Amino acid sequence: MSQIVAVVEALKRALKAKELTYAQVARELKMSEASVKRMFSSNHFTLHRFEQVCQLAGLGLTELAREVDSEKSDISHLTLEQEREVVGNAKLFLVAVCSLNHMTLEQILATYDIPKSECIQLLLRLDKIKILELLPKNRIRLKVASTFSWLPNGPILQYFKTRAQHEYFRSRFDGPNEMIMVVNAMLSSASSAQFVAKLRKLANEFSDLHNDDKHLPIGVRRPASVVLALRSWELDDFNKLRRKRKTRAAA
């Protein structure tokens, strides 16, 4: 991520923390909402405009730069050994997911049957892994980047593939705010790459909503998981009926 993009993303988060929408920013700057959206999507600001938006977010330029610098040390992935350690202990895995979901120690203890002393020890292990920092009074500060994700084909995604996916897809997906879609297509490499980029953007928006809601009470927030995927694939039953390459060439 370039410095400019990182600074603009930090400014977006500051506006969200202040619960300021693009429409409100537009009114304050006496601009159209479309123009404000275009500024943020293109990362193109005049210095004067940027300073005005910073003032609306309650941040000075120095504070914003400091926040971006502090985020550089945040991790976007665990190592292979760290993922193995996390997924190898059910309680450690649970506390890691709870922490990534912005749950406090008190909320974890109220929700799950784990003794307080044991939960603190688990948090200290996660502190050592550098997922989080356990602060005085057992406050939790995450040390993961906004782009944090599990390793591709790492231990945790392998766990999902072998165990969790069966539980996940057991649902009818007909509850409130639930859905499942299967759409088949034949795409070029360029179109596939374009769609993958859109999936990454959608995943980032999902992460932004997660961060926006972190201050809401647990009763209002519920665990939610989204699976985004694209691969070259067709049903095995279809693939078995495909002509062999030599046969196709002869035909």
Side-chain angles (χ1 to χ4, degrees):
M1 183 184 293
S2 73
Q3 286 279 42
I4 293 174
V5 173
V7 170
V8 173
E9 288 298 317
L11 183 54
K12 285 182 185 178
R13 290 193 294 275
L15 289 172
K16 287 179 179 178
K18 285 277 189 178
E19 299 183 349
L20 288 171
T21 64
Y22 286 148
Q24 290 170 311
V25 172
R27 283 197 297 272
E28 291 292 332
L29 299 184
K30 295 180 172 55
M31 298 172 62
S32 69
E33 184 177 353
S35 296
V36 171
K37 288 181 177 178
R38 190 159 49 248
M39 279 197 316
F40 278 96
S41 64
S42 64
N43 301 312
H44 183 71
F45 293 74
T46 65
L47 186 58
H48 177 63
R49 286 294 189 204
F50 194 80
E51 188 174 19
Q52 284 182 309
V53 180
C54 283
Q55 289 174 351
L56 291 175
L59 282 175
L61 293 174
T62 304
E63 292 173 286
L64 192 62
R66 190 182 300 120
E67 182 179 337
V68 172
D69 283 339
S70 68
E71 288 176 356
K72 289 180 182 178
S73 61
D74 291 343
I75 60 173
S76 57
H77 293 289
L78 298 183
T79 66
L80 185 64
E81 288 304 316
Q82 288 171 334
E83 280 206 5
R84 284 175 179 159
E85 180 181 356
V86 170
V87 81
N89 182 318
K91 289 184 179 179
L92 184 64
F93 192 12
L94 169 65
V95 173
V97 171
C98 287
S99 300
L100 291 170
N101 284 337
H102 303 290
M103 292 177 68
T104 64
L105 172 65
E106 292 73 20
Q107 290 170 334
I108 296 172
L109 297 176
T111 307
Y112 299 100
D113 187 15
I114 303 177
K116 182 176 181 179
S117 58
E118 184 179 5
C119 193
I120 291 173
Q121 289 303 313
L122 294 169
L123 287 168
L124 287 171
R125 286 177 67 180
L126 295 172
D127 185 311
K128 186 176 180 180
I129 293 173
K130 300 189 183 305
I131 286 181
L132 55 83
E133 182 180 4
L134 192 58
L135 301 171
K137 297 183 179 179
N138 296 317
R139 290 181 295 113
I140 299 169
R141 187 178 82 82
L142 287 177
K143 296 183 70 176
V144 297
S146 58
T147 55
F148 177 82
S149 61
W150 304 118
L151 289 171
N153 294 317
I156 290 178
L157 282 187
Q158 287 299 325
Y159 172 91
F160 177 82
K161 290 176 183 177
T162 57
R163 294 184 57 184
Q165 68 172 341
H166 300 297
E167 299 176 20
Y168 185 83
F169 288 107
R170 198 163 56 207
S171 169
R172 291 166 56 111
F173 292 92
D174 57 359
N177 299 319
E178 291 186 355
M179 70 169 291
I180 186 169
M181 294 178 65
V182 177
V183 182
N184 299 101
M186 297 184 72
L187 299 177
S188 65
S189 294
S191 293
S192 293
Q194 182 180 353
F195 192 73
V196 167
K198 290 180 181 294
L199 289 179
R200 293 187 189 281
K201 183 178 179 181
L202 186 60
N204 289 335
E205 291 176 3
F206 183 77
S207 181
D208 287 343
L209 292 172
H210 164 66
N211 289 322
D212 290 347
D213 289 350
K214 67 184 179 182
H215 300 298
L216 297 175
I218 291 297
V220 176
R221 293 190 296 140
R222 294 183 58 80
S225 297
V226 60
V227 179
L228 303 174
L230 175 70
R231 58 165 293 204
S232 178
W233 173 81
E234 68 178 351
L235 288 167
D236 285 345
D237 287 345
F238 294 178
N239 194 44
K240 290 174 184 175
L241 296 174
R242 277 187 174 267
R243 293 181 183 272
K244 302 302 181 186
R245 184 170 298 177
K246 289 183 178 179
T247 306
R248 289 204 306 270

